Amino acid sequence: MSTMEMPREISTRRRTKDRAFSIALWACVVVALVPLLLIVYRVVRLGLAAVSISLFTHTALPASFPGGGMKQAFLGTAMIVGIAVLISIPLGVLTGIYLSEYGSGRVAGVVRFTAEILLSIPSIVAGAFIWALVVVALGNFSALAAGIALTVLMWPIMARATEEVLRLVPTELREGALALGYPRWRVIVRVVLPTAGAGVFTAIMLAVARGLGETAPVLLTALGNDFVNTNPLKPTDAVPLRVYNYAQSAYPAWRALAWGGALMLLVGVLVLSVTARMLSIRQQRRMR
Amino acid sequence: MATIGAPPEVAPATPLTRRRRFGDRAFRWTTLVVSVGLVVMLALLLWVLADGGWRAIREFGLHFVIGREWNPVAGREVYGALPFIFGTFVTAIIAMVLAMPVGVGVALFLNESGSVWIKNPLAVLVDLLAAIPSVVYGLWGLYVLVPLFDHTVQPWLSASVGKVPVIGGLFQYAGPGGDLFTAGVILAIMILPIVTAVSREVVSVVSTETREGAIALGATRYETIRLGVLPTARPGIVGAGMLGLGRALGETIAVALVVGNSTNISASLFKPGYTIPAVIANEFREATSAGLHRSALLFLALLLVVIALGMATMSRFLVRRTARLVGDDVAAQEEAASSTLGMA
């Protein structure tokens, strides 16, 4: 921190100011970390109290009974995120390939700019868009619509992240394969993609972490459901939706379930994003 | 590095056959079409919202934005969105006022701290705040922050700062329940990571150049930052704030749970309010079949996306310009751009 040697002549006033400034910076760090600790502590404590087997194996009991669960929400989240992943992996990876392997012209610039813009739209806007486009057209809230709404958010994330990891692949590798007589597209599919494999996987994990915790777009498109639903064209529950609904509930048993669901969400999202981060650090080290 | 299998079945040094050229072309076109699909999707999004919101704006015109009455009851429909616009901006501004100093402070700390063993874990921890789902923030806000503020912070502020003329009006205690101030604090926590990350990039680009000069002149660390780093980094830091503001404007679930959802417009920050995303989330169910109500909500969504995009674009411009001012450090710019993405 104080790598520079201070000359003796520095006045007490200047020295005091410098010291005060250091303390202020430390204070900022503490202020930034306190909410994280408070949130994690509270969610873990109240969440653990609510987590039991029945959280995953039962749907809700009538409000006044303790216990019950949100089985339908876990199944619904799996279905919605599954649909989103199925749609957005091919779209995101192909866009990433275009940007990294072919993208130097004006079209690529526009695509890159669009991806950046899409990354900064509020997630509820993606929900409102698919609500007006798909839900109103089909006349029904559905897991499919929610999957599409999440795709709006996940596609640009995956595209930019894939582009970045593909760029880490050394050019010499491409040139070598081309020199051996491989056509360009097979160089990409059989050399570039496998080399960046872990990185592409990381990109997917980042996008899933984002989709998993989103509430607003899923609320506007899947609506929620008190019971298990396996039809992708029908209203479907999701863990964030259940937490949102139960958070506003007057019944202690349901509020307890909300904390249980929140803990599961937090664990899922944190595990995904920490793993993705560690993988990408390792990948970058390996490439350099 | 992964092992690369030897290319099978490829005859060496033959001229490209037609089939292979076709494969190349088809692959290239597939990736191009999919990529252009992303642009088409953004265009479609804007068109769907504009087309859907058109009816409300034709019906109410300017009144939609300045009107204070919002009544979706059929037959008596009036849509004036001022309370939502007001609440959206008030909460976002509170968030920015609180998050900016802390975010810039953390950025300076991370940049100045010599030890990688403190720096990296700290940066990761701050980033984790961005990973927490907004509904978890909302739940925590509703059951921890709202009661805490109702019983301690707000009565205390009301009794002290609330007595000061003029600005005291902002701090009148209004009883328990959610309010604009609590929503602003939650938003401040949520946008802290993005503000920190962008400020950090800006500051790190600037300081390598100016710092050495300032130190050579015998400046203390505080003076180096105050006179060398901050003035050069200012536009970029403003850009970081605008990106945070854009994020805060669009946050839905956490705000909907703690803001109180009341269409009254009042001077006190301790009174309940309402925001644009919250009203969309609360009313879309009733509006799915009804025409004018749906149109009003879609126009609000359009308003939101236009403001958020404006903020993001301006922020991007400011951050890039700061990076360029300091020298053509292309690598640093790329890094700044990519780390902003990583936060998304």
Side-chain angles (χ1 to χ4, degrees):
Chain A
M1 173 144 284
S2 50
T3 39
M4 58 182 173
E5 205 64 46
M6 294 214 182
R8 290 238 176 84
E9 311 86 74
I10 288 181
S11 70
T12 327
R13 207 169 60 94
R14 287 174 69 200
R15 204 187 290 257
T16 317
K17 257 191 184 168
D18 195 56
R19 191 74 46 82
F21 183 67
S22 288
I23 294 170
L25 290 191
W26 269 105
C28 284
V29 173
V30 172
V31 168
L33 292 185
V34 162
L36 180 69
L37 296 179
L38 289 180
I39 292 171
V40 170
Y41 167 73
R42 188 60 68 114
V43 172
V44 169
R45 212 191 64 183
L46 295 180
L48 280 182
V51 171
S52 64
I53 295 294
S54 69
L55 185 71
F56 307 98
T57 56
H58 286 72
T59 54
L61 294 175
S64 43
F65 294 92
M70 42 172 82
K71 173 189 176 187
Q72 83 281 14
F74 288 104
L75 292 174
T77 286
M79 179 156 71
I80 291 169
V81 175
I83 292 172
V85 164
L86 281 184
I87 307 175
S88 57
I89 284 182
L91 295 179
V93 170
L94 283 174
T95 309
I97 289 176
Y98 175 76
L99 290 177
S100 149
E101 305 299 313
Y102 300 111
S104 49
R106 190 177 293 169
V107 179
V110 173
V111 172
R112 217 170 268 133
F113 182 67
T114 306
E116 256 178 65
I117 283 195
L118 280 169
L119 284 176
S120 55
I121 66 165
S123 64
I124 190 159
V125 170
F129 165 48
I130 298 303
W131 171 58
L133 192 69
V134 179
V135 173
V136 170
L138 294 180
N140 210 352
F141 293 95
S142 63
L144 178 68
I148 298 174
L150 290 184
T151 299
V152 175
L153 302 169
M154 287 161 68
W155 181 359
I157 297 179
M158 214 112 85
R160 288 308 303 266
T162 306
E163 180 194 358
E164 263 161 43
V165 295
L166 293 189
R167 273 175 191 278
L168 289 176
V169 176
T171 322
E172 292 84 352
L173 223 56
R174 295 186 181 90
E175 288 168 350
L178 282 171
L180 287 173
Y182 258 148
R184 184 102 184 252
W185 73 279
R186 299 198 63 184
V187 173
I188 295 169
V189 174
R190 306 217 25 192
V191 177
V192 178
L193 276 183
T195 310
V200 176
F201 189 64
T202 310
I204 295 169
M205 279 170 75
L206 276 178
V208 172
R210 171 85 193 266
L212 201 61
E214 281 294 350
T215 314
V218 177
L219 177 67
L220 263 65
T221 48
L223 192 65
N225 194 332
D226 288 343
F227 304 101
V228 174
N229 165 51
T230 49
N231 182 349
L233 297 176
K234 285 273 181 316
T236 306
D237 213 17
V239 181
L241 293 191
R242 199 44 40 185
V243 174
Y244 177 59
N245 287 334
Y246 282 172
Q248 294 162 300
S249 160
Y251 305 106
W254 283 1
R255 280 195 223 157
L257 286 178
W259 287 101
L263 177 63
M264 289 298 118
L265 271 186
L266 195 66
V267 169
V269 170
L270 290 189
V271 164
L272 276 176
S273 44
V274 170
T275 318
R277 193 170 294 267
M278 276 169 17
L279 278 179
S280 85
I281 289 173
R282 248 189 34 200
Q283 171 93 351
Q284 277 178 17
R285 262 191 215 141
R286 219 172 46 145
M287 290 288 185
R288 274 171 189 165
Chain B
M1 207 152 293
T3 45
I4 305 146
E9 95 259 317
V10 177
T14 46
L16 284 177
T17 62
R18 263 196 122 126
R19 234 184 85 218
R20 284 173 59 193
R21 216 177 299 157
F22 171 77
D24 256 357
R25 205 170 290 169
F27 187 73
R28 196 199 157 116
W29 273 95
T30 312
T31 61
L32 176 67
V33 166
V34 168
S35 303
V36 171
L38 193 72
V39 182
V40 172
M41 186 177 77
L42 178 63
L44 187 65
L45 183 148
L46 293 174
W47 185 78
V48 163
L49 297 183
D51 182 62
W54 174 241
R55 226 186 114 188
I57 215 62
R58 202 181 44 195
E59 197 94 2
F60 297 103
L62 190 62
H63 186 79
F64 188 87
V65 187
I66 57 168
R68 297 174 63 154
E69 198 190 339
W70 180 274
N71 189 356
V73 176
R76 258 179 268 170
E77 285 180 287
V78 183
Y79 296 106
L82 191 64
F84 313 124
I85 297 171
F86 172 80
T88 305
F89 275 95
V90 170
T91 50
I93 289 169
I94 296 172
M96 215 179 55
V97 166
L98 295 175
M100 277 304 281
V102 178
V104 174
V106 174
L108 287 172
F109 181 89
L110 289 176
N111 197 50
E112 299 294 316
S113 162
S115 161
V116 184
W117 297 110
I118 306 181
K119 229 181 343 191
N120 287 351
L122 263 184
V124 170
L125 281 177
V126 174
D127 276 2
L128 282 187
L129 279 174
I132 298 177
S134 72
V135 70
V136 175
Y137 276 109
L139 185 67
W140 180 76
L142 187 59
Y143 290 108
V144 178
L145 213 53
V146 168
L148 179 76
F149 279 14
D150 279 339
H151 294 133
T152 54
V153 179
Q154 291 180 359
W156 180 76
L157 277 176
S158 181
S160 52
V161 193
K163 297 264 163 43
V164 180
V166 187
I167 64 157
L170 293 173
F171 301 98
Q172 296 306 313
Y173 183 59
D179 50 67
L180 293 167
F181 182 75
T182 314
V185 172
I186 291 268
L187 285 176
I189 302 171
M190 296 179 80
I191 65 172
L192 190 64
I194 188 95
V195 171
T196 306
V198 179
S199 315
R200 191 181 166 200
E201 298 303 337
V202 173
V203 166
S204 79
V205 171
V206 168
S207 57
T208 34
E209 306 240 329
T210 38
R211 189 192 318 180
E212 284 159 17
I215 293 173
L217 290 173
T220 63
R221 208 158 51 99
Y222 167 69
E223 288 158 351
T224 309
I225 290 172
R226 172 76 202 286
L227 305 171
V229 177
L230 284 184
T232 329
R234 189 161 296 142
I237 289 175
V238 173
M242 293 180 79
L243 201 61
L245 191 65
R247 281 287 160 81
L249 290 169
E251 179 48 50
T252 311
I253 295 300
V255 174
L257 283 172
V258 300
V259 79
N261 296 346
S262 148
T263 54
N264 291 325
I265 295 180
S266 53
S268 175
L269 304 179
F270 296 161
K271 292 212 168 119
Y274 221 147
T275 68
I276 295 176
V279 74
I280 300 176
N282 284 336
E283 294 191 354
F284 74 96
R285 275 186 204 85
E286 299 88 75
T288 301
S289 53
L292 200 53
H293 193 191
R294 183 167 83 212
S295 178
L297 294 184
L298 288 178
F299 187 76
L300 284 179
L302 182 68
L303 207 61
L304 207 57
V305 79
V306 168
I307 301 171
L309 292 193
M311 292 289 168
T313 314
M314 248 185 313
S315 149
R316 204 171 93 114
F317 169 75
L318 287 170
V319 171
R320 293 256 157 107
R321 207 187 55 170
T322 311
R324 208 164 303 143
L325 267 183
V326 175
D328 288 353
D329 193 347
V330 180
Q333 283 182 45
E334 292 284 308
E335 206 174 300
S338 68
S339 80
T340 334
L341 279 169
M343 303 294 309

